[in-house]
Amino acid sequence: MDAAARRVATTTDAFFLASPGRAGGRRFCLLNAPADPRGTIVYVHPFAEEMNKSRRMAALQARAFAAAGHAVLQVDLFGCGDSSGDFGDAAWDDWIDDVQLASDWLVARFGSTPLLWGLRAGCLVALAAAERAGEPRTALFWQPAASGKTVLQQFLRLRTAAERLAGTSGGGVEDLRDRLAAGETIDVAGYRIAPELAAGLEAARLEPSSAVDRLAWLEIASGDHPALTPAGARAVDNWRAAGVEVDADAVSGPAFWQTTEIEVAPALIDASVRALGSARLAA
């Protein structure tokens, strides 16, 4: 039977979840699900503007997962998208709380522990949430960021680049990091980033952990013969050496999380559905 024949009817529901965490407020959620899902998934979006660039891909993938029989909950983290709060008031722990909130809701609704699906820096948040939960989880990492320090550094460079273009004499990245460490909130490319968020992000590492026992690692590459980046290949080897079952692959497509126009990567959607259907990742 082909993939199209296995597709099932699904529904899409938008709603808010009240957060009992430190930040409080409500989190916007979007649920794509069949009537009787055989597994559940929480999507953890990437950092800052990458979230907006990726919305289309996340929506398409969530629908594809639902059509393949899984309930998918997309949640806007505190201060992001349509959720309560301002990005500049977010702390790293707030985002970890939000992933746990989404996971708990899926467990209560469907009775199964969800797979954690992260994109870029969302992989770091997903891993931190798995470690806090204290039980092994299955994960799907899309173009994972190896460290939050690198994510933060690249983000701060947006400000220094803008200052150079404007001919202003702002400090460099290290100066901005020092200001964050001293307790100052920094404005970067239309986003305010607070010291608490910067500190948590900078400390985050995507290293092998007992909190993940099964993992699909997928990357986007250009050309007709896509391959994992050298850094990605080393990371996959490290996870396997730590005893984690890893399915790794690279597919052709655009870097949709950073392109000027909104783009999609159909090959990544197909590869993700295949990975979810494998013996190692199926719920």
Side-chain angles (χ1 to χ4, degrees), residues 11 13 15 31 33-35 37 40 71 103-112:
T11 59
D13 297 306
F15 57 94
L31 176 70
T40 58
S103 296
D104 289 346
W105 186 88
L106 282 172
V107 171
R109 174 74 178 270
F110 298 108
S112 65

Side-chain angles (χ1 to χ4, degrees), residues 49-120:
E49 192 60 21
E50 290 187 359
M51 172 192 178
N52 295 323
K53 295 288 187 181
S54 304
R55 275 196 182 277
R56 177 64 175 161
M57 266 297 292
L60 291 173
Q61 186 67 73
R63 293 170 195 162
F65 280 152
H70 291 74
V72 185
L73 187 65
Q74 299 168 253
V75 56
D76 289 355
L77 304 177
F78 175 77
C80 301
D82 294 313
S83 286
S84 299
D86 184 84
F87 191 91
D89 297 324
W92 186 250
D93 280 352
D94 296 333
W95 289 357
I96 298 172
D97 287 344
D98 290 346
V99 175
Q100 189 60 52
L101 174 68
S103 296
D104 289 346
W105 186 88
L106 282 172
V107 171
R109 174 74 178 270
F110 298 108
S112 65
T113 300
L115 174 149
L116 299 178
W117 161 34
L119 169 59
R120 302 276 292 143

Side-chain angles (χ1 to χ4, degrees), residues 112-116 126-127 129-139 209-215 239 243-244:
S112 65
T113 300
L115 174 149
L116 299 178
L127 178 59
E131 290 176 336
R132 180 176 294 180
E135 60 176 331
R137 303 289 291 272
T138 303
S209 170
S210 59
V212 174
D213 58 0
R214 293 176 294 175
L215 170 63
W239 281 85
V244 179

